[in-house]
Amino acid sequence: MDVNFQFDWSAAFGSIPYLLPGIPWTLLISFGGLAIGFFIGIFFGLLRISRLRWLRWPAIIYVEVFRGTPILVQVLFIFYGLPQLLGGPINALVAGIAAIAVNSGAYISEIVRGGVQSIERGQGEASLSLGLSRTQAFRYVIWPQAFRRMIPPLGNQGIISIKDTSLFSVIGVGELVRQGQIYIATTFTALEVYFMVALMYLAITWTLSIILRQLERRGLAGQ
Amino acid sequence: MSETLKNTTQPIVRMQQLNKHFGSLHVLNDIDLTIVPGEVVVIIGASGSGKSTLIRCINGLEEFQSGSLVVDNNELLPHGKSTQALQTIRTEVGMVFQQFNLFPHLSVIDNVTLAPMKVRGLSRDDAVSNAKRLLDRVGIADQADKYPSQLSGGQQQRVALARALAMEPRLMLFDEPTSALDPEMIGEVLDAMRELAKEGMTMVIVTHEMGFAREVADRVIFIHKGEITEQGHPEKLFDSPQHERTQSFLARVLKH
């Protein structure tokens, strides 16, 4: 350890104006990707619990493929690989959002499946015995309860996806880590800058945690 | 209800040679059962004898493999192949479960109004006034805005009863309605059921409450290993059971 090293606070604070522009990109990729991933997740999650085997299989394959491969490989595949197939370049932002979407979608479909399957069998039986159709039973009885149970794992996935966007510095999208790297290239203050980058991720994820806790508290009030 | 009237009435449930298997287990074996409107039938038997499975077949919560089953003029086919009839039957047949199965995310009043609004198409106002009348009838009108988790087991089961009655069923099924209750709450649920029986509701009840069975049943059916071993008027079946298995079952449950 270099005992003479001093943490340079002015370098740390000095990097803030250069890092801040990365935050909107990080948020845009995370929440854009998560919003799409949420619908992908509901779609495949519901397919996964279908009574029809030929509907379950595509969902199983989807989850295994996108959960079983690294997100870094996924984004490289989309950004560098797909253009060869499509015959034109893909915007780095679009590639980042797509990677988060397909990746979080796989995890969210498992969250959806778990949430729905965690609802006691008797809930569906009571609904059917009252004359509700399967669709009505799902819509009015199963889903509202399942969704409440899904909030904590969904929040977890949100935080994971936000951090995953840091990998997208490799495709040159100007998110937080990329902004930091560019700044460090001219100042050589890696310790201070990465420290600030970490703090900014923490600020984002912590805010999300607080919002989720509020949501959970309100959501569970009726139970 | 007099015997002659019963015999001339169209049965509400007619089960003939009904068979059900769970894999290699023969759960229901050639069951023949006819129930007429107004009748209160209590089904008794050891756990695993198939009594719950039997009443769950009546509203299609369980499929059967062979035999015929007509409920309120709607025929249920083997292997659950009768979606339309099933839907009709379920709107006409109410059910109360051992575990209440109230909807925990809905208030008591919303539990009771959900099906009348979504299935019968009642307006919210009509459904609510109807629900309040039913909650009053089972003695919990003051709990309408609470959530199920805020109620005692006995209160929850009475809400479940009101919820089923809100569909104005022609037949009520009870699957061990007091088995999950603390002893001090059993009475309040049985009282509500007794009232219902007095009002002429057709009821099929699976229960271990032999005193209640003796008091309200028109007919008691003893099931052993998926077969109807013996059935008859409660006094006859309880006081002079003919079959040896009935005798040993009753000896065991009536002792305590």
Side-chain angles (χ1 to χ4, degrees):
Chain A
M1 195 170 146
D2 182 353
V3 288
N4 294 318
F5 185 85
Q6 288 245 310
F7 188 91
D8 184 353
W9 284 103
S10 67
F13 291 123
S15 70
I16 291 176
Y18 296 89
L19 296 179
L20 282 179
I23 288 183
W25 289 94
T26 293
L27 292 179
L28 185 60
I29 300 169
S30 322
F31 289 102
L34 282 166
I36 300 168
F38 182 64
F39 288 104
I40 293 177
I42 290 178
F43 179 73
F44 283 108
L46 296 183
L47 282 194
R48 181 71 178 75
I49 48 178
S50 163
R51 285 184 297 163
L52 306 169
R53 186 182 312 185
W54 57 273
L55 284 179
R56 287 200 300 268
W57 269 106
I60 292 171
I61 291 167
Y62 178 83
V63 170
E64 290 304 330
V65 166
F66 288 98
R67 198 177 57 174
T69 53
I71 190 167
L72 184 57
V73 175
Q74 288 164 11
V75 77
L76 291 173
F77 181 88
I78 294 170
F79 187 68
Y80 293 111
L82 277 191
Q84 291 187 358
L85 206 67
L86 303 175
I90 289 180
N91 178 292
L93 174 68
V94 172
I97 290 176
I100 292 291
V102 295
N103 185 270
S104 70
Y107 287 95
I108 291 172
S109 80
E110 286 294 280
I111 293 171
V112 169
R113 175 173 77 96
V116 171
Q117 287 181 338
S118 76
I119 303 302
E120 297 70 23
R121 203 185 156 80
Q123 292 290 307
E125 290 184 348
S127 311
L128 296 179
S129 81
L130 286 164
L132 294 171
S133 67
R134 284 185 167 273
T135 316
Q136 287 175 322
F138 185 79
R139 181 172 161 196
Y140 300 114
V141 177
I142 310 293
W143 180 254
Q145 296 184 62
F147 187 72
R148 278 173 204 197
R149 294 190 189 177
M150 284 160 49
I151 292 174
L154 280 176
N156 212 20
Q157 182 57 44
I159 287 171
I160 289 170
S161 290
I162 289 169
K163 295 185 297 178
D164 280 347
T165 60
S166 64
L167 294 165
F168 301 167
S169 54
V170 298
I171 57 167
V173 61
E175 45 69 66
L176 263 172
V177 170
R178 178 75 180 161
Q179 292 298 106
Q181 285 173 335
I182 294 169
Y183 185 69
I184 291 164
T186 57
T187 63
F188 305 105
T189 49
L191 181 79
E192 288 81 1
V193 175
Y194 282 132
F195 178 77
M196 292 311 290
V197 167
L199 273 189
M200 289 187 185
Y201 276 109
L202 202 55
I204 297 170
T205 54
W206 206 330
T207 310
L208 183 62
S209 293
I210 291 167
I211 294 171
L212 284 164
R213 263 204 298 278
Q214 295 291 334
L215 217 62
E216 248 178 85
R217 206 172 298 162
R218 213 177 314 162
L220 297 172
Q223 302 236 5
Chain B
M1 188 178 281
S2 75
E3 282 304 315
T4 48
L5 183 56
K6 267 184 194 171
N7 290 338
T8 54
T9 324
Q10 177 94 347
I12 190 158
V13 176
R14 200 174 61 238
M15 209 178 253
Q16 283 167 323
Q17 269 129 53
L18 194 95
N19 281 282
K20 177 172 178 71
H21 305 262
F22 277 131
S24 63
L25 191 67
H26 203 165
V27 200
L28 296 176
N29 190 354
D30 273 343
I31 299 276
D32 288 304
L33 175 64
T34 302
I35 295 165
V36 297
E39 204 178 8
V40 176
V41 176
V42 170
I43 302 175
I44 60 172
S47 53
S49 58
K51 54 194 192 310
S52 285
T53 310
L54 175 61
I55 68 164
R56 286 163 57 88
C57 281
I58 296 176
N59 67 347
L61 289 184
E62 298 283 353
E63 295 175 4
F64 53 95
Q65 275 82 42
S66 69
S68 85
L69 173 56
V70 179
V71 182
D72 201 18
N73 294 322
N74 293 284
E75 182 166 15
L76 273 176
L77 301 171
H79 307 289
K81 282 180 185 158
S82 37
T83 16
Q84 195 47 53
L86 193 56
Q87 195 68 29
T88 315
I89 287 170
R90 283 172 175 165
T91 61
E92 305 297 329
V93 177
M95 188 166 198
V96 170
F97 299 84
Q98 180 175 354
Q99 299 295 341
F100 329 137
N101 295 343
L102 290 180
F103 306 135
H105 62 302
L106 299 178
S107 65
V108 164
I109 194 86
D110 289 343
N111 262 275
V112 182
T113 56
L114 179 68
M117 285 167 64
K118 303 301 177 193
V119 181
R120 295 255 192 247
L122 254 63
S123 71
R124 179 156 191 93
D125 286 350
D126 289 348
V128 167
S129 70
N130 201 21
K132 285 192 170 153
R133 184 176 53 77
L134 287 165
L135 289 171
D136 188 42
R137 185 163 137 193
V138 295
I140 31 179
D142 49 340
Q143 314 283 354
D145 295 321
K146 289 194 175 165
Y147 283 88
S149 60
Q150 297 170 292
L151 304 183
S152 72
Q155 289 172 324
Q156 289 191 47
Q157 193 60 302
R158 285 182 284 150
V159 173
L161 179 57
R163 178 177 70 175
L165 292 177
M167 286 298 286
E168 298 178 352
R170 301 199 52 218
L171 168 67
M172 279 292 299
L173 307 174
F174 294 85
D175 189 3
E176 301 200 26
T178 58
S179 297
L181 294 174
D182 290 335
E184 74 271 22
M185 291 167 185
I186 292 176
E188 62 195 59
V189 171
L190 294 182
D191 283 344
M193 290 168 63
R194 200 174 279 125
E195 279 302 307
L196 196 60
K198 258 186 223 156
E199 289 161 24
M201 175 65 78
T202 314
M203 298 160 77
V204 184
I205 307 163
V206 170
T207 186
H208 295 291
E209 297 292 328
M210 298 301 156
F212 176 77
R214 180 189 285 266
E215 179 195 344
V216 303
D218 295 312
R219 176 160 48 127
V220 178
I221 295 175
F222 172 67
I223 292 196
H224 180 78
K225 289 190 174 160
E227 290 182 51
I228 294 182
T229 305
E230 187 168 351
Q231 58 178 312
H233 192 271
E235 303 214 333
K236 185 164 163 282
L237 191 124
F238 284 124
D239 297 336
S240 52
Q242 301 300 304
H243 205 286
E244 186 200 335
R245 289 210 182 89
T246 322
Q247 290 163 4
S248 70
F249 173 76
L250 289 175
R252 266 178 289 133
V253 296
L254 294 177
K255 211 181 284 173
H256 56 263

